[in-house]
Amino acid sequence: MGQQIGLQCAMYGYDVVFYDLSRRSWTRRRGASPSSAHGTFQADALPKKNLRNTLSRISATPDPEKAAQDVDLISESVPEDPELKGKVFARFHKLCPERTIFTTNTSMLVPSMFAEATGRPEKLVAFHFHDLRANNIADVMPHPGTAPEVTKLVHDFAVSIGQIVILLHRENSGYVFNTMLSSLFTSALTLASRNVAAIEDIDRSWMGVMHTSMGPFGIMDQVGISTVWIITDYWQEDRDAQAQANADFLKQYVEKGHLGFKTNQGFYSYPNPAYTQQDFLSGAEKEKKMISQATKEYDYKKSFGLTFREMPLKI
């Protein structure tokens, strides 16, 4: 997600520095090319010929001191762990100029959970993006200690990079859309963990009724299964056995390294997931396999002395 945010800012003329706790991630970003970066934007957002100019505004470093030098705003997208987020911000508090604003892209936490740990709670605000390849909705959520002028500045910055801003009046875990989305994820995971229906059929149900391009498990692949698991596991501590079962269901994918779109394997295989295929919604391919298997296992003519063609049919 951090890469999408950085590219979005660069696309609108801002200089961007990537810093990642993972050396491997930094190396991958440093080697980014126009062709590999194009998929990060909305399909019609930026012509390929302008990508090189955008990428020229981006640099990457494994050195936090260099990353913090003369920076105006930090966007943080580390895993959903309030202690980790606090430690990352505390480190940059010592390195960044006094004017630097801290923003967190947390999905389900609220900034007051780690505001004091940052060292500059009055300059901390949640600035949350959704999938920038598909939409331009961004949430701006202050905590009780956020300075009003900081909230206003981040709101205006969001507008300047082409976002439609949803400004929250108070802290809410999950903002607006994610609060609704988490209920969908919980319902889908409960159905799957209880083996009520197959993952594909759960997605077909949602896609067919709501006329969407993907279902809840396809969306989880885009969000990142590890992110969904961390959130589910974190919040299940005070809940019931079903919440634990949902977390365990996700954990089996995480342990295999099947994290979704970013690893090319999750609930679906990428870059051509089944839900994008023409016959997915109808289940035609699945039906063919079922009929073929049933025909092999059952000899209708031997059992009834006739074939389907010979049966009298009434509709």
Side-chain angles (χ1 to χ4, degrees), residues 75-243:
S75 173
E76 164 272 312
S77 295
V78 302
E80 295 287 85
D81 179 341
E83 184 177 353
L84 175 61
K85 289 178 184 291
K87 287 180 178 179
V88 169
F89 278 127
R91 185 178 192 183
F92 277 94
H93 172 61
K94 298 176 181 178
L95 301 173
C96 290
E98 185 178 345
R99 71 175 187 279
T100 305
I101 291 171
F102 288 174
T103 70
T104 175
N105 186 49
T106 178
S107 297
M108 295 297 291
L109 304 178
V110 293
S112 62
M113 296 173 73
F114 47 90
E116 291 301 324
T118 67
R120 54 182 78 187
E122 75 286 353
K123 291 186 172 71
L124 173 69
V125 65
F127 183 21
H128 173 255
F129 294 80
H130 299 270
D131 189 343
L132 285 161
R133 296 166 299 176
N135 65 73
N136 63 333
I137 299 293
D139 305 290
V140 173
M141 180 176 71
H143 66 91
T146 305
E149 59 270 24
V150 170
T151 303
K152 176 67 164 58
L153 191 152
V154 173
H155 173 282
D156 293 347
F157 174 71
V159 172
S160 77
I161 59 171
Q163 299 303 290
I164 297 172
V165 181
I166 308 299
L167 181 62
L168 278 73
H169 300 155
R170 57 180 296 176
E171 285 187 312
N172 184 68
S173 174
Y175 308 94
V176 176
F177 178 78
N178 277 8
T179 296
M180 298 183 285
L181 185 65
S182 64
S183 297
L184 172 63
F185 284 177
T186 298
S187 298
L189 287 167
T190 297
L191 289 168
S193 66
R194 294 177 59 204
N195 198 29
V196 173
I199 285 171
E200 294 83 358
D201 281 337
I202 295 170
D203 276 1
R204 284 189 186 95
S205 178
W206 183 265
M207 293 167 66
V209 174
M210 299 303 295
H211 302 284
T212 59
S213 60
M214 65 181 74
F217 287 98
I219 299 172
M220 281 186 254
D221 270 354
Q222 301 300 319
V223 171
I225 294 175
S226 59
T227 297
V228 180
W229 171 68
I230 289 170
I231 294 169
T232 305
D233 188 61
Y234 180 85
W235 290 107
Q236 66 81 24
E237 292 181 3
D238 297 323
R239 294 186 184 178
D240 56 21
Q242 184 58 58

Side-chain angles (χ1 to χ4, degrees), residues 199-200 203 214 217-222 225 253 256-277 280:
I199 285 171
E200 294 83 358
D203 276 1
M214 65 181 74
F217 287 98
I219 299 172
M220 281 186 254
D221 270 354
Q222 301 300 319
I225 294 175
Y253 289 87
K256 293 176 183 176
H258 296 171
L259 308 183
F261 174 78
K262 64 183 178 182
T263 61
N264 289 328
Q265 182 65 54
F267 297 116
Y268 296 93
S269 298
Y270 296 85
N272 299 305
Y275 58 77
T276 64
Q277 304 307 306
F280 177 78

Side-chain angles (χ1 to χ4, degrees), residues 13-35:
Y14 292 96
D15 293 326
V16 174
V17 179
F18 281 126
Y19 168 76
D20 201 297
L21 299 175
S22 166
R23 175 94 185 183
R24 185 176 65 177
S25 296
W26 167 73
T27 302
R28 185 171 65 248
R29 288 188 175 93
R30 184 181 61 176
S33 65
S35 60

